[in-house]
Amino acid sequence: MAAAAESGARPWLGDGAQRPRSPVCSPVLGGGGRTRLGLGSGPERAGVRPPGPAAWQGHSFRKVTLTKPTFCHLCSDFIWGLAGFLCDVCNFMSHEKCLKHVKTPCTSVAPSLVRVPVAHCFGPRGIYKRKFCAVCRKGLEAPAFRCEVCELYLHPDCVPFACSDCRQCHQDGHQDHDVHHHHHWREGNLSSGARCEVCRKTCSSSEVLAGLRCEWCGVQAHSVCSSVLAPECTFGRLRSLVLPPACVRLLSRNFSKMQCFHITEMMAPELGNGDSSADGGAAAGPGRETLAPPESSKQTLKIFDGDDAVRRNQFRVITISRLAPREEVLEAALRAYYILEDPDSLELHPLPSQAGNALAWAKAGILEEEEGVKGPGSCETVPEAWVIRALPQAQEVLKIYPGWFKMGMAYVSLCVTPQSTARKVVLEALPLLGRQAEGPQSFHLVEVLMGSRQVQRTVLADEELLLNRLWDIRQTSLRQVSQTRFYVAENRTPVPRITLFVGGLPPGLSSQEYSDLLHEAVATKATVVSVSHVYSSQGAVVLDVACFAEAERLYMLVRDTAVQGRALTALVLPDVLHSELPPDSCPLLVFVNPKSGGLKGRDLLCSFRKLLNPHQVFELTSVGPLPGFHLFSQVPCFRVLVCGGDGTVGWVLAALEETRHHLACPEPSVAILPLGTGNDLGRVLRWGAGYSGEDPFSVLVSVDEADAVLMDRWTILLDAHQDGSAENGVIDAEPPKIVQMSNYCGIGIDAELSLDFHQARNEEPGKFTSRFHNKGVYVRVGLQKISQARGLHREIRLQVGQQEVPLPSIEGLIFINIPSWGSGADLWGSDSDTRFEKPRMDDGLLEVVGVTGVVHMGQVQGGLRSGIRIAQGSYFRVTLLKAIPVQVDGEPWVQAPGNMIISAAGPKVHMLRKAKQKPRKAGTSRDARVDATATPEGDPK
């Protein structure tokens, strides 16, 4: 975890003090006889040693007898013998010899060590093999959650207890950070074969949560070895491709990263609830206990954490001895919620609905009179549901954090009394933070709630009484105390400026027309909302919003609005500070089509978000490529990676062509990760026939090492004739339209097969999940058309330049720009021909080839024949005498009778061709960053 805690500082305690009766030094549950190491322990207690280095990590270790093979969470080695040391709170297991080297903080104190609070982005539940929960350290045997930005894995019931320590992907304007980017360490779940950067030994484990990895540069190390490494992160091998967080600014306030990255979230239950307890579905404690049978010597209790848990009916389950004293029950309840508090400042109350019965039991002597209903005692029958409550305190010791980065100072501690206001705390904190020379009126106190899904900030009024504020938090939730911080921050509030991209609008309108349309659809406020950019041909605009509340309203409203039958889309875009980019930086803009290539795109989307800055990775199906190009419009040099089929590549290249005049880098080089069925352009550029599970890290390295080449782009003008067959003399005419082509354009049988395939896929998309199946459908469709004769040469006319070219007896006419067609076939052929020049993808010429039918196409794809060479040129006019199927780069449709004009389009496109493979040295497997064993729930395997 990225932590900058004060050297020797005490862990976060709700009342700011270490008390002799803290849960981590309390008597052993169920009797004595175990050696305990923990905070607050002392030699005066019988059988307890003075605290070692591990004590400062907040762990509560006890010696346990091992009954099955067990591994150490520090060194990942097997624990020989029958004894090991287990943390009662977070399940950290260790050799006795490793205790003094433990640096991983316990879950109970981890929130206090977070340097910059950043919320996580949890996607849908999935099955993750050989992964471990970051909270309870247990294996993920059932569907679990994964952060889509950092490599954090959690059980559903552990989500509320996760630290808000996700990767910091941008500056938010609330505080200034240091210029040096530090490592962002994440524990465990390393890829197999990972080696330590320091000792070069294996640091991964498939048995336990062990080892560390920086989520930015990918450096991996043992926990002990990591202290040798320099704290600054250089972004590693991918540094030239990464968009540095310091160069991205997003004034998001209440916008979560889920909204900014357009990640679909499936909410996890915060905690167990009453409805799920009957079948054992209620959330258990850190040991993940199950309900005890009625005849057992154990009893199962439901524990609620404050008023919020009672109101939501959310609880944790603990299992204790039926003869356990009140103190033992309270300590078990605190461990279940990972709460590090003094038990003397807390008490257990029966759930309000059971209070009446508890009072009756107290009067009957079942509960001790002096305790009343404060908690269960040594009795056979007690209420099964209890609430943890805090006792009023005369004063508190509060940690105050600076709202700016300061080396060597994480926080200062102040004593808060009933008279302490927010203004008084600011006055006391400023001299301790080294800001005594500045006027106190320039600062205010900010309360920050570090939720796992959202970090919320609240500016406190000067007259706010801090002790009352803390009491309200404790009554709401004791766990919330450890997740709440107080910052002294400067008053300079950044001027609100939120950029909203809105798509799905009617194309071809002016800026004023779009403004009026949005005002009519979602009632935009002209005083704070303005249209900054218009992409008329795409039907999209970019809005500048000068009010947080209005931006939040528009975002939520636009997503539920349709204009002229089309649903609108909205995306929050950050600002890229292009002037702050390093001189050698050429960040990579990534587009992923998750529907391509057997639905492998979703895993790639998640992998690239982890390897790069998530702000530079876009999902095409939700918002298209336009927002990405707009975000990078001021970046002086960048590259593009398109993950999808040939149709996806053409989509992105068309968007690039339309936005080129807006870009500071008008000719970015484009690489391809082929996910489709044909992938002909990917084959030509050496990216392969299709993605087959290669390591995404290696893919990005190949992009960085790729060579730039030029490729022609072609414009096809489709001008349909008027349809005179309309009834009542009404004549309909399709408006002319323009499409862009990179690979090939097919007319006739080639396009007809493609059209049938697309119709079949649209009818049953769930069946088209692999390239092998897709090709099988192509073969089946082709076999059905073998006996059909069309005589295409009688239905079209071809003109090359100013000369009409006679056509032989063919059923398909294909214009090819690259030396690959139909999943890698050489349609033009390699034979020399004095009539034509040797084809190249950058020569400004198209080759025209004919096929006589399905059998001929099959022979071409089998390498037995080539097509019929017809012409070569730079300008073509095709006259369609009847409606005929047409396909461009794999996208088919039926074109009405009329003219097709094909000509060169603007400047050539800069593509990236994969460099030839070089022999790899041994040991490079440590660069593997993503485990391909993750299968999202519901996805096909």
Side-chain angles (χ1 to χ4, degrees):
M1 299 175 186
E6 183 180 11
S7 178
R10 296 170 298 185
W12 174 270
L13 299 176
D15 56 1
Q18 299 181 44
R19 310 226 180 175
R21 293 288 304 278
S22 67
V24 294
C25 65
S26 56
V28 177
L29 296 184
R34 290 179 292 185
T35 302
R36 175 173 296 275
L37 301 177
L39 286 173
S41 58
E44 70 278 1
R45 296 182 54 83
V48 179
R49 351 178 144 165
W56 296 112
Q57 307 305 326
H59 290 290
S60 175
F61 287 114
R62 60 182 172 89
K63 194 172 184 179
V64 295
T65 301
L66 305 178
T67 58
K68 60 182 180 179
T70 309
F71 295 80
C72 177
H73 290 201
L74 180 69
C75 66
S76 71
D77 290 339
F78 184 77
I79 300 180
W80 296 96
L82 300 177
F85 285 82
L86 175 71
C87 176
D88 273 331
V89 179
C90 70
N91 298 312
F92 192 103
M93 178 65 76
S94 173
H95 291 103
E96 183 174 8
K97 65 179 181 179
C98 291
L99 287 176
K100 60 183 178 181
H101 300 296
V102 174
K103 295 183 178 180
T104 302
C106 181
T107 304
S108 60
V109 302
S112 67
L113 303 179
V114 176
R115 185 163 164 264
V116 178
V118 181
H120 294 284
C121 295
F122 297 111
R125 295 193 195 194
I127 300 294
Y128 304 106
K129 302 175 183 177
R130 292 291 189 181
K131 300 296 183 182
F132 298 89
C133 176
V135 171
C136 69
R137 311 184 71 87
K138 298 288 186 178
L140 302 179
E141 300 173 355
F145 286 92
R146 173 183 65 180
C147 178
E148 299 289 297
V149 177
C150 72
E151 297 184 271
L152 183 83
Y153 296 85
L154 296 172
H155 291 107
D157 55 286
C158 290
V159 170
F161 307 103
C163 288
S164 54
D165 63 343
C166 191
R167 289 198 301 166
Q168 178 193 348
C169 301
H170 58 259
Q171 297 203 39
D172 57 10
H174 291 283
Q175 53 190 11
D176 297 328
H177 308 300
D178 56 324
V179 294
H180 298 291
H181 192 85
H182 289 194
H183 288 297
H184 186 98
W185 296 112
R186 177 70 67 213
E187 184 186 16
N189 295 319
L190 274 64
S191 58
S192 60
R195 292 189 176 273
C196 177
E197 188 73 14
V198 178
C199 68
R200 309 304 303 165
K201 296 180 180 179
T202 300
C203 59
S204 64
S205 173
S206 60
E207 304 293 339
V208 293
L209 194 69
L212 296 175
R213 173 185 50 245
C214 175
E215 288 298 298
W216 282 108
C217 68
V219 167
Q220 300 167 130
H222 294 102
S223 176
V224 175
C225 296
S226 63
S227 59
V228 180
L229 299 172
E232 289 79 17
C233 177
T234 61
F235 297 102
R237 174 63 183 83
L238 304 179
R239 59 185 173 274
S240 63
L241 302 180
V242 174
L243 187 61
C247 300
V248 184
R249 184 174 295 275
L250 177 62
L251 304 180
S252 56
R253 201 177 78 161
N254 289 334
F255 284 118
S256 71
K257 289 196 298 185
M258 305 294 299
Q259 297 163 327
C260 300
F261 305 148
H262 224 278
I263 296 174
T264 302
E265 180 183 31
M266 185 177 294
M267 298 298 292
E270 288 295 324
L271 290 173
N273 55 59
D275 295 335
S276 62
S277 61
D279 57 4
R288 309 186 68 78
E289 296 90 340
T290 57
L291 300 180
E295 66 277 4
S296 171
S297 61
K298 302 286 186 178
Q299 61 179 340
T300 300
L301 301 180
K302 299 176 183 177
I303 305 298
F304 293 81
D305 176 24
D307 295 338
D308 186 64
V310 173
R311 179 175 58 84
R312 297 173 181 268
N313 194 27
Q314 295 170 343
F315 56 85
R316 300 277 280 177
V317 174
I318 64 171
T319 302
I320 60 168
S321 169
R322 294 186 180 276
L323 301 178
R326 183 190 73 87
E327 293 83 359
E328 186 173 322
V329 177
L330 180 56
E331 291 163 3
L334 295 181
R335 285 196 298 271
Y337 280 98
Y338 303 96
I339 296 174
L340 190 64
E341 285 274 5
D342 176 14
D344 287 346
S345 65
L346 308 172
E347 60 186 1
L348 283 173
H349 282 259
L351 194 66
S353 61
Q354 303 183 23
N357 292 335
L359 287 171
W361 292 332
K363 293 180 180 178
I366 298 177
L367 299 179
E368 297 180 15
E369 291 283 355
E370 63 273 16
E371 290 187 359
V373 295
K374 290 184 180 180
S378 299
C379 57
E380 288 294 330
T381 305
V382 296
E384 65 173 11
W386 296 83
V387 185
I388 309 175
R389 298 288 188 190
L391 295 173
Q393 300 292 320
Q395 62 181 22
E396 298 262 4
V397 176
L398 190 64
K399 291 180 179 178
I400 305 296
Y401 292 77
W404 58 89
F405 184 78
K406 186 170 183 177
M407 293 296 294
M409 177 79 68
Y411 58 83
V412 296
S413 298
L414 294 176
C415 183
V416 178
T417 65
Q419 292 75 37
S420 297
T421 62
R423 172 52 51 188
K424 184 177 179 182
V425 167
V426 170
L427 293 174
E428 293 178 4
L430 285 177
L432 301 176
L433 295 172
R435 293 294 188 102
Q436 62 271 19
E438 303 181 42
Q441 66 277 2
S442 301
F443 298 88
H444 54 211
L445 196 63
V446 180
E447 178 186 294
V448 177
L449 176 58
M450 305 185 298
S452 62
R453 287 195 178 93
Q454 189 171 14
V455 175
Q456 299 177 348
R457 295 171 174 83
T458 304
V459 178
L460 300 183
D462 290 345
E463 62 276 7
E464 181 88 40
L465 295 174
L466 265 297
L467 198 61
N468 292 344
R469 186 83 180 183
L470 292 172
W471 171 249
D472 291 341
I473 296 174
R474 289 184 184 279
Q475 290 298 103
T476 301
S477 168
L478 284 170
R479 173 66 183 173
Q480 188 173 321
V481 173
S482 63
Q483 296 176 318
T484 303
R485 285 185 180 176
F486 293 90
Y487 285 82
V488 171
E490 294 181 274
N491 281 331
R492 55 175 184 85
T493 303
V495 178
R497 181 182 174 274
I498 303 94
T499 302
L500 279 182
F501 177 90
V502 180
L505 295 165
L509 304 183
S510 66
S511 176
Q512 185 60 45
E513 288 173 326
Y514 281 123
S515 181
D516 295 340
L517 185 62
L518 286 173
H519 178 72
E520 179 182 352
V522 293
T524 56
K525 299 178 181 179
T527 55
V528 294
V529 180
S530 60
V531 177
S532 62
H533 291 81
V534 174
Y535 298 98
S536 181
S537 61
Q538 297 283 336
V541 298
V542 179
L543 303 179
D544 280 347
V545 188
C547 173
F548 285 122
E550 176 66 5
E552 294 159 14
R553 185 189 72 86
L554 286 179
Y555 177 84
M556 300 303 295
L557 195 58
V558 164
R559 296 193 310 164
D560 298 327
T561 302
V563 174
Q564 297 183 6
R566 295 180 59 190
L568 300 184
T569 59
L571 185 66
V572 182
L573 294 180
D575 292 324
V576 176
L577 309 179
H578 58 278
S579 60
E580 302 294 329
L581 287 169
D584 60 344
S585 176
C586 187
L588 184 67
L589 177 59
V590 182
F591 297 107
V592 181
N593 187 347
K595 294 183 179 180
S596 297
L599 305 180
K600 293 179 181 177
R602 185 190 177 277
D603 284 338
L604 280 172
L605 191 68
C606 184
S607 298
F608 288 137
R609 281 177 177 144
K610 291 177 172 63
L611 291 166
L612 303 170
N613 191 323
H615 286 296
Q616 62 189 108
V617 182
F618 288 82
E619 178 188 348
L620 286 172
T621 54
S622 57
V623 292
L626 199 54
F629 286 121
H630 178 81
L631 179 66
F632 273 58
S633 60
Q634 299 304 313
V635 176
C637 178
F638 69 93
R639 286 168 282 186
V640 179
L641 173 62
V642 183
C643 306
D646 288 338
T648 302
V649 176
W651 184 13
V652 173
L653 292 179
L656 172 61
E657 185 66 31
E658 294 183 9
T659 59
R660 189 185 302 275
H661 60 284
H662 291 292
L663 302 178
C665 176
E667 297 179 349
S669 299
V670 181
I672 300 171
L673 181 57
L675 298 181
T677 302
N679 302 318
D680 289 288
L681 185 56
R683 298 168 191 263
V684 171
L685 297 174
R686 298 180 186 157
W687 294 106
Y691 177 71
S692 56
E694 293 87 354
D695 176 26
F697 179 83
S698 299
V699 171
L700 294 179
V701 172
S702 297
V703 172
D704 193 35
E705 297 174 347
D707 304 318
V709 296
L710 294 176
M711 184 182 72
D712 296 326
R713 285 275 287 169
W714 298 84
T715 296
I716 302 178
L717 172 63
L718 302 167
D719 187 7
H721 288 163
Q722 293 180 343
D723 186 2
S725 62
E727 297 180 1
N728 302 324
V730 178
I731 298 177
D732 292 332
E734 291 186 7
K737 64 178 180 179
I738 296 176
V739 296
Q740 302 289 330
M741 184 192 81
S742 300
N743 301 352
Y744 42 74
C745 168
I747 303 174
I749 182 62
D750 171 45
E752 188 175 339
L753 294 180
S754 181
L755 182 62
D756 289 348
F757 170 82
H758 276 256
Q759 290 174 345
R761 182 167 61 178
N762 291 336
E763 291 175 0
E764 297 180 289
K767 293 184 178 181
F768 293 76
T769 57
S770 70
R771 284 189 294 271
F772 181 79
H773 175 270
N774 295 352
K775 291 180 179 180
V777 174
Y778 261 115
V779 172
R780 186 172 69 249
V781 171
L783 292 175
Q784 295 172 351
K785 298 181 180 296
I786 286 182
S787 60
Q788 300 178 17
R790 293 157 189 81
L792 181 68
H793 58 288
R794 294 190 295 266
E795 300 171 349
I796 64 174
R797 298 286 183 268
L798 173 64
Q799 180 180 328
V800 181
Q802 302 298 322
Q803 182 179 1
E804 185 167 341
V805 177
L807 295 176
S809 177
I810 58 174
E811 293 189 17
L813 188 68
I814 303 167
F815 300 81
I816 55 176
N817 183 47
I818 61 174
S820 179
W821 166 87
S823 300
D826 184 3
L827 188 61
W828 181 260
S830 57
D831 297 338
S832 60
D833 193 331
T834 57
R835 296 178 300 165
F836 306 108
E837 298 181 16
K838 184 178 180 179
R840 292 203 336 262
M841 60 189 295
D842 63 344
D843 58 1
L845 299 175
L846 276 181
E847 288 69 47
V848 186
V849 185
V851 293
T852 60
V854 174
V855 174
H856 188 185
M857 291 171 59
Q859 291 172 334
V860 171
Q861 290 182 331
L864 303 177
R865 293 180 60 184
S866 58
I868 302 173
R869 299 178 182 178
I870 296 177
Q872 191 179 49
S874 59
Y875 177 86
F876 306 88
R877 183 186 186 95
V878 181
T879 302
L880 306 182
L881 304 180
K882 60 179 293 186
I884 298 176
V886 173
Q887 68 101 352
V888 175
D889 290 349
E891 302 300 321
W893 70 91
V894 176
Q895 179 61 29
N899 294 318
M900 292 177 56
I901 298 176
I902 305 175
S903 60
K908 302 179 188 294
V909 180
H910 292 250
M911 304 298 293
L912 288 174
R913 183 172 58 193
K914 187 177 182 180
K916 292 184 178 180
Q917 294 291 332
K918 300 177 182 178
R920 294 184 177 274
K921 298 180 180 179
T924 56
S925 60
R926 68 185 179 87
D927 291 329
R929 294 288 314 278
V930 179
D931 195 333
T933 58
T935 304
E937 188 177 33
D939 281 6
K941 294 183 180 179

